[in-house]
Amino acid sequence: MKLRIAHIGGVLLLGALVVATVRVQTYVTRPYLHTNLYLPSGKFVEQASLGYEQLAADMVWFQAVQYYGGYAKSQHDLAYFGGLIDIVNELDPHFVFPYVFGAVVMAQDLGDLDRGIHLLKRGMRNNPESWDLPFEIGFLYYTVARDDSSAAKYFDLASRLPGGRDSAARFAAFVYAKAGHLETSIRMWEEVERTADQPYMRELAHHYLDKLRRQEAAQRALEPRVTPGAGNSAPPGRKESHDDI
């Protein structure tokens, strides 16, 4: 009986937790109106969950994904995305994927690479055997910072952790190939889209690939077009004279 009461109490408290975090949802259709949003701290949520931290983390993570989905549809900004990710990390520090997804969004959408790297390094401290975290640091160093040496360093670290050898080695090869940065970034994101287990990550990869391919197309459109006999023509804007013949 006591056990049943404890379970009921836990469910009720989690219900209250959902009410607290679901308030994010009331703002996803109201652009940029975040000043009255109540976002509880991770410690508060942890204490309120009474031992159901992982379940609470899953609920907040669901809210974070929905919140990002609203941003992807241009319904609002990402002012509270980082706060939601912090709550998930505090509730369940061994839940690896929110570190990865959160860092990519921070670095790419929010333009805050340092915060994304800091988040992944926090994840590495909590999950020293996870190859995904150093791997993602290498990925962001290459695709965002264009820092080949740092990218190679973290890909190498990831390759020495359980499960990371093949994927990390493949991405390290991209870096060492010294191909064009845009071309290599596209190849990397294509690999993520093809191999990612999580649908959120595949959607994110598809989104960034669209942007990179548009950028690639724009660059190609600006490239000078060489036509047969072009080498014999006069420079643009200059008329030929008898001295040119």
Side-chain angles (χ1 to χ4, degrees):
M1 183 67 178
K2 289 182 178 179
L3 183 62
R4 184 178 179 184
I5 291 173
H7 279 292
I8 293 172
V11 170
L12 290 174
L13 282 169
L14 282 173
L17 168 63
V18 172
V19 170
T21 57
V22 81
R23 291 186 63 183
V24 173
Q25 195 63 27
T26 64
Y27 287 83
V28 298
T29 56
R30 300 171 62 191
Y32 314 110
L33 299 178
H34 298 292
T35 54
N36 297 320
L37 176 60
Y38 171 64
L39 194 62
S41 70
K43 291 298 180 185
F44 170 83
V45 176
E46 182 180 0
Q47 292 170 3
S49 66
L50 288 182
Y52 292 83
E53 289 88 352
Q54 290 186 345
L55 181 56
D58 289 342
M59 290 180 172
V60 180
W61 170 239
F62 178 71
Q63 290 298 316
V65 171
Q66 284 196 315
Y67 186 64
Y68 182 80
Y71 163 77
K73 296 176 182 177
S74 302
Q75 294 174 345
H76 58 82
D77 61 17
L78 286 174
Y80 285 87
F81 179 81
L84 287 166
I85 295 297
D86 286 341
I87 292 174
V88 176
N89 295 155
E90 288 183 36
L91 286 169
D92 188 354
H94 304 300
F95 188 5
V96 170
F97 188 67
Y99 292 108
V100 174
F101 187 81
V104 172
V105 171
M106 288 172 189
Q108 296 276 4
D109 291 285
L110 293 173
D112 195 342
L113 175 65
D114 290 342
R115 189 176 180 188
I117 297 294
H118 176 76
L119 176 63
L120 289 166
K121 288 182 176 179
R122 186 201 310 164
M124 286 178 64
R125 289 193 295 272
N126 292 326
N127 304 274
E129 295 300 310
S130 173
W131 69 272
D132 303 81
L133 299 164
F135 176 86
E136 197 62 38
I137 293 177
F139 186 83
L140 291 181
Y141 268 130
Y142 186 85
T143 58
V144 179
R146 302 193 176 196
D147 183 342
D148 293 10
S149 62
S150 294
K153 169 187 170 183
Y154 280 96
F155 285 145
D156 179 63
L157 176 59
S159 72
R160 290 185 274 112
L161 292 171
R165 184 176 184 86
D166 293 340
S167 294
R170 189 159 55 250
F171 275 68
F174 288 153
V175 174
Y176 292 129
K178 299 294 182 183
H181 181 84
L182 181 58
E183 175 190 349
T184 305
S185 295
I186 289 173
R187 290 176 63 196
M188 286 182 165
W189 276 114
E190 285 174 340
E191 185 77 5
V192 172
E193 185 181 39
R194 184 179 68 82
T195 61
D197 295 328
Q198 298 286 344
Y200 322 118
M201 206 64 196
R202 289 196 297 272
E203 290 172 11
L204 206 62
H206 183 75
H207 169 68
Y208 294 134
L209 274 169
D210 279 348
K211 292 174 65 175
L212 288 170
R213 284 167 178 157
R214 285 196 299 269
Q215 185 180 343
E216 184 182 45
Q219 285 186 4
R220 287 178 177 172
L222 293 174
E223 291 176 357
R225 297 178 181 178
V226 179
T227 56
N232 298 324
S233 62
R238 180 185 171 192
K239 294 183 178 179
E240 289 185 347
S241 68
H242 291 291
D243 294 330
D244 294 320
I245 300 174

